[in-house]
Amino acid sequence: MRISEMSVNLDGLPPSVEVKGELSLLDPLSRNSALEFCIYKVFHCDGLLLCISQCYRIVVWNPLTGQTRWIESGGVLSRKFALGYYQDEKSNTRSYKVLSYFNVYDDRNSKIYDFETDSWRILDGDSVGRPACKGDEQMVSFKGNSCWFANEENPELDVYLLTFDFATDKFGRVPLPYKPRYYGRLSVVREEKLCVLLQQNFWSKSEIWVTSKICETNKGVSWSKVLEFDLRPHNLELPLAFLFDEEKKVVICCDRWFDENDDGYGKDMVYIVGEDNNVTQKEFGLGEYYSCLPAVLNYFPSLVQIERAGGKKRKRLDT
């Protein structure tokens, strides 16, 4: 996987996309000092990147400061990982944790890694407190907590957003505006609002819904539809991932385009579409690895100091 910095200018006509460079992380276990760590998946939270390899080695990395925290994952196959934090209101400091879980959730396989204790612990039944469900691959960090699409084993039941609160170590559910035909896609707006892209069915227009507040019970959520657009004339289905600029009412999507006449290789593309349904597209690389699909992250540089292993904290610097 390549991690690239991308600059998007929405003020121009048409808007423009430019790849500014690539980020890489050296592998400390390699005999070759120049060998890069093979990143398979990335999760962003608070300016930190949680990077996972195919053999389930994980590292928390601040690309701005270069600091890393390598974490023993146990090498358990088919696990998923998410990074989050809880904030101490008195000291105004943040403590970071990593959630580890399988695709089917129950109280026997979800674990928490705490940066302060440098250790894993199994979540008890009270923390889970719900029937088993299936979760989507795509997750986002929203105000320190993790959020992703999920549904019950019974396909007749509604799709919803599954959340994990790193302050209480508990799961929760957030209802969607309606049950979509597809899972939909999930994003955040400037770390201030949760944002979903939904389609009622294959023939419907795509809709952007946002919510700025989720109460503790996750039941009193209020969604607002802020944009509607049609991707069908451009042969675009539900994108793999997206970002939303609420001020300009513009969606930035990424997807992989396949050419059947080119040996099945795909091109990773960025699409920019607004209320007028005009689409600007930009190719940013050849999709050589089928298992690594493109994704866009709302990453922002941060001076967050990663805590030392063993509970020795580093002071958090505010920008």
Side-chain angles (χ1 to χ4, degrees):
M1 173 181 279
R2 295 187 300 268
I3 302 178
S4 300
E5 299 172 289
M6 183 180 298
S7 173
V8 181
N9 181 9
L10 299 178
D11 294 324
L13 292 174
S16 62
V17 179
E18 180 183 0
V19 178
K20 307 293 288 187
E22 294 186 1
L23 304 177
S24 62
L25 180 64
L26 297 180
D27 190 340
L29 297 184
S30 172
R31 296 180 179 178
N32 183 350
S33 60
L35 187 65
E36 296 179 1
F37 178 62
C38 185
I39 299 172
Y40 178 59
K41 292 182 180 179
V42 176
F43 183 80
H44 168 241
C45 173
D46 199 31
L48 302 177
L49 297 181
L50 174 64
C51 304
I52 304 103
S53 72
Q54 283 189 302
C55 58
Y56 295 94
R57 291 174 59 202
I58 59 177
V59 58
V60 177
W61 174 32
N62 186 333
L64 181 65
T65 65
Q67 294 176 339
T68 57
R69 176 73 168 262
W70 296 86
I71 302 172
E72 293 291 338
S73 65
V76 181
L77 298 180
S78 300
R79 277 198 174 273
K80 310 294 188 300
F81 298 92
L83 175 67
Y85 65 83
Y86 66 92
Q87 184 156 335
D88 189 314
E89 300 297 335
K90 294 182 179 180
S91 62
N92 197 32
T93 58
R94 294 178 177 177
S95 298
Y96 295 88
K97 299 179 181 180
V98 173
L99 170 67
S100 173
Y101 57 91
F102 283 105
N103 199 35
V104 178
Y105 306 89
D106 59 45
D107 58 1
R108 295 168 298 176
N109 56 39
S110 297
K111 299 191 298 182
I112 283 290
Y113 172 85
D114 196 315
F115 275 48
E116 293 186 9
T117 62
D118 188 28
S119 62
W120 291 94
R121 60 182 174 81
I122 298 176
L123 292 180
D124 56 30
D126 292 336
S127 297
V128 180
R130 51 165 172 62
C133 60
K134 291 186 176 180
D136 190 41
E137 289 283 346
Q138 185 199 19
M139 294 183 296
V140 298
S141 174
F142 179 61
K143 298 182 178 179
N145 298 325
S146 295
C147 187
W148 59 105
F149 281 93
N151 70 338
E152 305 297 337
E153 295 285 356
N154 185 348
E156 299 299 323
L157 298 178
D158 286 346
V159 177
Y160 54 88
L161 296 181
L162 185 66
T163 63
F164 185 80
D165 189 326
F166 284 90
T168 61
D169 290 346
K170 291 185 177 182
F171 291 93
R173 303 186 188 189
V174 175
L176 292 168
Y178 59 82
K179 181 179 179 179
R181 176 184 175 92
Y182 308 104
Y183 262 20
R185 294 293 181 261
L186 183 62
S187 186
V188 292
V189 181
R190 299 182 181 274
E191 291 290 324
E192 300 170 357
K193 297 181 179 181
L194 200 59
C195 179
V196 293
L197 188 156
L198 303 175
Q199 282 184 224
Q200 294 192 27
N201 53 58
F202 181 78
W203 301 273
S204 301
K205 291 183 177 181
S206 300
E207 300 173 351
I208 298 291
W209 294 74
V210 299
T211 181
S212 58
K213 184 177 181 180
I214 297 178
C215 63
E216 293 182 358
T217 61
N218 291 337
K219 295 181 179 179
V221 179
S222 177
W223 291 96
S224 300
K225 186 169 72 171
V226 295
L227 182 63
E228 186 177 84
F229 55 94
D230 193 354
L231 294 175
R232 293 171 300 167
H234 308 282
N235 296 318
L236 293 175
E237 297 182 3
L238 204 62
L240 293 171
F242 78 100
L243 299 177
F244 177 58
D245 188 303
E246 189 174 19
E247 179 182 353
K248 298 180 180 297
K249 296 295 189 294
V250 170
V251 179
I252 304 168
C253 307
C254 75
D255 211 337
R256 178 163 293 172
W257 179 82
F258 288 97
D259 185 351
E260 296 180 354
N261 299 321
D262 191 18
D263 297 327
Y265 281 95
K267 295 180 180 179
D268 293 335
M269 306 291 292
V270 171
Y271 301 93
I272 303 174
V273 58
E275 292 178 295
D276 56 7
N277 276 310
N278 290 329
V279 174
T280 299
Q281 63 183 41
K282 170 71 174 181
E283 178 185 339
F284 68 95
L286 182 67
E288 299 176 355
Y289 306 101
Y290 291 102
S291 60
C292 296
L293 295 174
V296 288
L297 305 174
N298 62 322
Y299 175 80
F300 56 91
S302 172
L303 290 176
V304 169
Q305 299 290 298
I306 299 178
E307 299 169 356
R308 298 178 185 273
K312 297 181 180 179
K313 297 183 180 179
R314 289 180 176 176
K315 183 179 179 182
R316 173 185 171 87
L317 299 178
D318 296 325
T319 57

CSV table of all heavy atoms in Angstrom, one decimal, residues 42-51 59-65 67-69 83-85 96 115 141 297 299-307 316:
chain,number,residue,atom,x,y,z
A,42,VAL,N,-5.0,1.1,6.9
A,42,VAL,CA,-4.7,2.3,7.7
A,42,VAL,C,-6.0,2.8,8.3
A,42,VAL,O,-7.0,2.8,7.7
A,42,VAL,CB,-4.1,3.4,6.8
A,42,VAL,CG1,-3.9,4.7,7.6
A,42,VAL,CG2,-2.8,2.9,6.2
A,43,PHE,N,-5.8,3.2,9.6
A,43,PHE,CA,-7.0,3.9,10.3
A,43,PHE,C,-6.4,5.2,10.9
A,43,PHE,O,-5.4,5.2,11.5
A,43,PHE,CB,-7.5,2.9,11.4
A,43,PHE,CG,-8.7,3.5,12.1
A,43,PHE,CD1,-9.9,3.4,11.6
A,43,PHE,CD2,-8.5,4.1,13.4
A,43,PHE,CE1,-11.0,3.9,12.3
A,43,PHE,CE2,-9.6,4.6,14.1
A,43,PHE,CZ,-10.9,4.5,13.5
A,44,HIS,N,-7.2,6.3,10.7
A,44,HIS,CA,-6.7,7.6,11.2
A,44,HIS,C,-7.5,8.0,12.4
A,44,HIS,O,-8.7,7.9,12.4
A,44,HIS,CB,-6.9,8.6,10.0
A,44,HIS,CG,-6.7,10.0,10.5
A,44,HIS,ND1,-7.7,11.0,10.4
A,44,HIS,CD2,-5.7,10.6,11.2
A,44,HIS,CE1,-7.3,12.1,11.0
A,44,HIS,NE2,-6.0,11.9,11.4
A,45,CYS,N,-6.8,8.6,13.4
A,45,CYS,CA,-7.5,9.2,14.5
A,45,CYS,C,-6.6,10.2,15.1
A,45,CYS,O,-5.4,10.0,15.5
A,45,CYS,CB,-7.7,8.1,15.6
A,45,CYS,SG,-8.4,8.7,17.2
A,46,ASP,N,-7.1,11.5,15.2
A,46,ASP,CA,-6.4,12.5,15.9
A,46,ASP,C,-5.0,12.8,15.4
A,46,ASP,O,-4.1,13.1,16.2
A,46,ASP,CB,-6.4,12.2,17.4
A,46,ASP,CG,-6.1,13.4,18.3
A,46,ASP,OD1,-6.5,14.5,17.9
A,46,ASP,OD2,-5.5,13.3,19.4
A,47,GLY,N,-4.7,12.7,14.1
A,47,GLY,CA,-3.4,12.9,13.6
A,47,GLY,C,-2.5,11.8,13.6
A,47,GLY,O,-1.3,11.8,13.2
A,48,LEU,N,-2.9,10.6,14.2
A,48,LEU,CA,-2.2,9.4,14.2
A,48,LEU,C,-2.7,8.4,13.2
A,48,LEU,O,-3.9,8.3,13.0
A,48,LEU,CB,-2.2,8.8,15.7
A,48,LEU,CG,-1.7,9.7,16.8
A,48,LEU,CD1,-1.9,9.0,18.1
A,48,LEU,CD2,-0.3,10.1,16.6
A,49,LEU,N,-1.8,7.6,12.7
A,49,LEU,CA,-2.2,6.5,11.8
A,49,LEU,C,-1.9,5.2,12.4
A,49,LEU,O,-0.8,4.9,12.9
A,49,LEU,CB,-1.4,6.6,10.5
A,49,LEU,CG,-1.5,7.9,9.6
A,49,LEU,CD1,-0.7,7.8,8.4
A,49,LEU,CD2,-3.0,8.1,9.2
A,50,LEU,N,-3.0,4.4,12.5
A,50,LEU,CA,-2.8,3.0,12.9
A,50,LEU,C,-2.6,2.1,11.7
A,50,LEU,O,-3.5,2.0,10.8
A,50,LEU,CB,-4.1,2.5,13.7
A,50,LEU,CG,-4.2,1.1,14.1
A,50,LEU,CD1,-3.1,0.7,15.1
A,50,LEU,CD2,-5.5,0.7,14.6
A,51,CYS,N,-1.4,1.6,11.5
A,51,CYS,CA,-1.1,0.8,10.3
A,51,CYS,C,-1.0,-0.7,10.6
A,51,CYS,O,-0.4,-1.0,11.6
A,51,CYS,CB,0.3,1.3,9.8
A,51,CYS,SG,0.3,3.1,9.4
A,59,VAL,N,1.3,-0.9,14.1
A,59,VAL,CA,2.1,0.3,14.7
A,59,VAL,C,1.2,1.5,14.6
A,59,VAL,O,0.4,1.7,13.7
A,59,VAL,CB,3.3,0.5,13.8
A,59,VAL,CG1,3.0,0.7,12.3
A,59,VAL,CG2,4.2,1.6,14.4
A,60,VAL,N,1.3,2.3,15.7
A,60,VAL,CA,0.7,3.7,15.7
A,60,VAL,C,1.8,4.6,15.3
A,60,VAL,O,2.9,4.7,16.0
A,60,VAL,CB,0.1,4.0,17.1
A,60,VAL,CG1,-0.5,5.4,17.1
A,60,VAL,CG2,-1.0,2.9,17.4
A,61,TRP,N,1.5,5.5,14.4
A,61,TRP,CA,2.6,6.3,13.8
A,61,TRP,C,2.1,7.8,13.6
A,61,TRP,O,1.0,8.0,13.1
A,61,TRP,CB,2.9,5.7,12.4
A,61,TRP,CG,3.9,6.5,11.5
A,61,TRP,CD1,4.9,7.3,11.9
A,61,TRP,CD2,3.9,6.5,10.1
A,61,TRP,NE1,5.6,7.8,10.8
A,61,TRP,CE2,5.0,7.3,9.7
A,61,TRP,CE3,3.1,5.9,9.1
A,61,TRP,CZ2,5.3,7.5,8.3
A,61,TRP,CZ3,3.4,6.1,7.8
A,61,TRP,CH2,4.5,6.9,7.4
A,62,ASN,N,2.9,8.7,14.0
A,62,ASN,CA,2.6,10.1,13.8
A,62,ASN,C,3.6,10.6,12.6
A,62,ASN,O,4.8,10.8,12.9
A,62,ASN,CB,2.9,11.0,15.0
A,62,ASN,CG,2.5,12.4,14.8
A,62,ASN,OD1,2.5,13.0,13.6
A,62,ASN,ND2,2.1,13.1,15.8
A,63,PRO,N,3.1,10.7,11.4
A,63,PRO,CA,4.0,11.0,10.3
A,63,PRO,C,4.6,12.4,10.4
A,63,PRO,O,5.7,12.6,9.8
A,63,PRO,CB,3.0,11.0,9.1
A,63,PRO,CG,1.9,10.2,9.5
A,63,PRO,CD,1.7,10.4,10.9
A,64,LEU,N,4.0,13.3,11.2
A,64,LEU,CA,4.6,14.6,11.3
A,64,LEU,C,5.8,14.6,12.2
A,64,LEU,O,6.9,15.2,11.8
A,64,LEU,CB,3.5,15.6,11.9
A,64,LEU,CG,4.0,17.0,12.0
A,64,LEU,CD1,4.3,17.7,10.7
A,64,LEU,CD2,3.0,17.9,12.8
A,65,THR,N,5.7,13.9,13.3
A,65,THR,CA,6.9,13.9,14.3
A,65,THR,C,7.8,12.7,14.0
A,65,THR,O,8.9,12.7,14.5
A,65,THR,CB,6.4,13.9,15.7
A,65,THR,OG1,5.7,12.6,15.9
A,65,THR,CG2,5.4,15.0,16.0
A,67,GLN,N,7.3,9.8,15.3
A,67,GLN,CA,7.2,8.9,16.4
A,67,GLN,C,6.3,7.7,16.1
A,67,GLN,O,5.4,7.8,15.4
A,67,GLN,CB,6.6,9.6,17.7
A,67,GLN,CG,7.5,10.7,18.2
A,67,GLN,CD,6.8,11.4,19.3
A,67,GLN,OE1,5.6,11.4,19.5
A,67,GLN,NE2,7.6,12.1,20.1
A,68,THR,N,6.7,6.5,16.7
A,68,THR,CA,6.0,5.3,16.5
A,68,THR,C,5.7,4.6,17.8
A,68,THR,O,6.5,4.8,18.7
A,68,THR,CB,6.7,4.3,15.5
A,68,THR,OG1,8.0,4.1,16.0
A,68,THR,CG2,6.8,5.0,14.1
A,69,ARG,N,4.7,3.7,17.8
A,69,ARG,CA,4.5,2.8,18.9
A,69,ARG,C,4.1,1.4,18.3
A,69,ARG,O,3.0,1.2,17.8
A,69,ARG,CB,3.3,3.3,19.8
A,69,ARG,CG,2.9,2.4,20.9
A,69,ARG,CD,3.9,2.4,22.0
A,69,ARG,NE,3.4,1.8,23.2
A,69,ARG,CZ,2.9,2.4,24.3
A,69,ARG,NH1,2.8,3.7,24.2
A,69,ARG,NH2,2.5,1.8,25.3
A,83,LEU,N,-8.2,2.6,16.3
A,83,LEU,CA,-7.6,3.4,17.3
A,83,LEU,C,-8.5,4.5,17.8
A,83,LEU,O,-9.3,5.1,17.0
A,83,LEU,CB,-6.3,4.1,16.6
A,83,LEU,CG,-5.6,5.1,17.4
A,83,LEU,CD1,-4.9,4.5,18.6
A,83,LEU,CD2,-4.6,5.9,16.6
A,84,GLY,N,-8.5,4.8,19.1
A,84,GLY,CA,-9.3,5.8,19.7
A,84,GLY,C,-8.7,6.4,20.9
A,84,GLY,O,-7.6,6.0,21.4
A,85,TYR,N,-9.4,7.3,21.6
A,85,TYR,CA,-8.9,7.9,22.8
A,85,TYR,C,-10.1,8.3,23.7
A,85,TYR,O,-11.2,8.5,23.3
A,85,TYR,CB,-8.0,9.1,22.5
A,85,TYR,CG,-8.8,10.3,21.8
A,85,TYR,CD1,-9.5,11.2,22.6
A,85,TYR,CD2,-8.7,10.4,20.5
A,85,TYR,CE1,-10.1,12.3,22.0
A,85,TYR,CE2,-9.4,11.5,19.8
A,85,TYR,CZ,-10.1,12.4,20.6
A,85,TYR,OH,-10.7,13.4,20.0
A,96,TYR,N,-4.8,7.0,24.8
A,96,TYR,CA,-5.1,6.3,23.5
A,96,TYR,C,-5.2,4.8,23.8
A,96,TYR,O,-4.5,4.3,24.7
A,96,TYR,CB,-4.0,6.6,22.5
A,96,TYR,CG,-4.0,8.0,22.0
A,96,TYR,CD1,-3.2,9.0,22.7
A,96,TYR,CD2,-4.8,8.5,21.0
A,96,TYR,CE1,-3.3,10.3,22.4
A,96,TYR,CE2,-4.8,9.8,20.6
A,96,TYR,CZ,-4.0,10.7,21.3
A,96,TYR,OH,-4.1,12.1,20.9
A,115,PHE,N,-2.5,2.2,26.0
A,115,PHE,CA,-1.1,2.8,25.9
A,115,PHE,C,-0.4,2.9,27.3
A,115,PHE,O,0.8,2.8,27.4
A,115,PHE,CB,-1.2,4.1,25.2
A,115,PHE,CG,-1.2,4.0,23.7
A,115,PHE,CD1,-2.0,3.1,23.0
A,115,PHE,CD2,-0.3,4.8,22.9
A,115,PHE,CE1,-2.0,3.0,21.7
A,115,PHE,CE2,-0.3,4.7,21.5
A,115,PHE,CZ,-1.2,3.8,20.9
A,141,SER,N,-13.1,7.5,12.8
A,141,SER,CA,-12.9,8.0,14.1
A,141,SER,C,-13.7,9.3,14.3
A,141,SER,O,-13.6,10.2,13.5
A,141,SER,CB,-11.4,8.3,14.4
A,141,SER,OG,-11.3,8.9,15.7
A,297,LEU,N,-8.6,9.6,3.4
A,297,LEU,CA,-8.7,9.8,4.8
A,297,LEU,C,-8.7,11.3,5.0
A,297,LEU,O,-8.0,12.1,4.4
A,297,LEU,CB,-7.5,9.2,5.6
A,297,LEU,CG,-7.3,7.7,5.4
A,297,LEU,CD1,-6.0,7.3,6.1
A,297,LEU,CD2,-8.4,6.9,5.9
A,299,TYR,N,-7.1,13.2,6.9
A,299,TYR,CA,-6.0,13.3,7.8
A,299,TYR,C,-5.6,14.8,7.9
A,299,TYR,O,-5.6,15.5,7.0
A,299,TYR,CB,-4.8,12.5,7.2
A,299,TYR,CG,-3.5,12.7,8.0
A,299,TYR,CD1,-3.3,12.0,9.2
A,299,TYR,CD2,-2.6,13.6,7.6
A,299,TYR,CE1,-2.2,12.2,9.9
A,299,TYR,CE2,-1.4,13.8,8.3
A,299,TYR,CZ,-1.2,13.1,9.5
A,299,TYR,OH,-0.1,13.3,10.2
A,300,PHE,N,-5.2,15.1,9.2
A,300,PHE,CA,-4.6,16.4,9.4
A,300,PHE,C,-3.4,16.3,10.3
A,300,PHE,O,-3.3,15.5,11.2
A,300,PHE,CB,-5.6,17.3,10.1
A,300,PHE,CG,-6.1,16.8,11.4
A,300,PHE,CD1,-5.5,17.0,12.6
A,300,PHE,CD2,-7.3,15.9,11.4
A,300,PHE,CE1,-6.0,16.5,13.8
A,300,PHE,CE2,-7.7,15.4,12.6
A,300,PHE,CZ,-7.1,15.7,13.8
A,301,PRO,N,-2.3,17.1,10.0
A,301,PRO,CA,-1.1,17.0,10.8
A,301,PRO,C,-1.3,17.4,12.2
A,301,PRO,O,-2.1,18.3,12.5
A,301,PRO,CB,-0.1,18.0,10.1
A,301,PRO,CG,-0.7,18.1,8.7
A,301,PRO,CD,-2.2,18.0,8.9
A,302,SER,N,-0.7,16.7,13.2
A,302,SER,CA,-0.9,17.0,14.6
A,302,SER,C,0.4,16.8,15.3
A,302,SER,O,1.3,15.9,14.9
A,302,SER,CB,-2.0,16.1,15.1
A,302,SER,OG,-2.0,16.2,16.5
A,303,LEU,N,0.6,17.5,16.4
A,303,LEU,CA,1.8,17.3,17.3
A,303,LEU,C,1.5,16.4,18.4
A,303,LEU,O,2.2,16.5,19.5
A,303,LEU,CB,2.3,18.7,17.8
A,303,LEU,CG,2.9,19.6,16.7
A,303,LEU,CD1,3.2,21.0,17.3
A,303,LEU,CD2,4.1,19.0,16.1
A,304,VAL,N,0.5,15.5,18.3
A,304,VAL,CA,0.3,14.6,19.4
A,304,VAL,C,1.5,13.8,19.7
A,304,VAL,O,2.2,13.3,18.8
A,304,VAL,CB,-0.9,13.6,18.9
A,304,VAL,CG1,-1.0,12.4,19.9
A,304,VAL,CG2,-2.2,14.4,18.9
A,305,GLN,N,1.9,13.7,20.9
A,305,GLN,CA,3.0,12.9,21.4
A,305,GLN,C,2.6,11.5,21.7
A,305,GLN,O,1.7,11.3,22.6
A,305,GLN,CB,3.7,13.6,22.6
A,305,GLN,CG,4.2,15.0,22.3
A,305,GLN,CD,5.4,15.0,21.3
A,305,GLN,OE1,6.4,14.4,21.7
A,305,GLN,NE2,5.2,15.6,20.2
A,306,ILE,N,3.2,10.5,21.1
A,306,ILE,CA,2.8,9.1,21.4
A,306,ILE,C,3.5,8.7,22.7
A,306,ILE,O,4.7,8.9,22.9
A,306,ILE,CB,3.3,8.2,20.3
A,306,ILE,CG1,2.6,8.6,19.0
A,306,ILE,CG2,3.0,6.7,20.6
A,306,ILE,CD1,3.0,7.8,17.8
A,307,GLU,N,2.7,8.1,23.6
A,307,GLU,CA,3.2,7.7,24.9
A,307,GLU,C,4.2,6.6,24.8
A,307,GLU,O,4.2,5.7,24.0
A,307,GLU,CB,2.0,7.2,25.8
A,307,GLU,CG,1.0,8.3,26.1
A,307,GLU,CD,-0.3,7.7,26.7
A,307,GLU,OE1,-0.3,6.5,26.9
A,307,GLU,OE2,-1.2,8.5,27.0
A,316,ARG,N,1.5,16.2,25.8
A,316,ARG,CA,0.7,16.5,24.5
A,316,ARG,C,0.9,18.0,24.2
A,316,ARG,O,0.7,18.8,25.1
A,316,ARG,CB,-0.8,16.2,24.7
A,316,ARG,CG,-1.6,16.7,23.5
A,316,ARG,CD,-3.1,16.4,23.7
A,316,ARG,NE,-3.8,17.1,22.7
A,316,ARG,CZ,-4.1,16.5,21.5
A,316,ARG,NH1,-3.8,15.3,21.3
A,316,ARG,NH2,-4.9,17.1,20.6
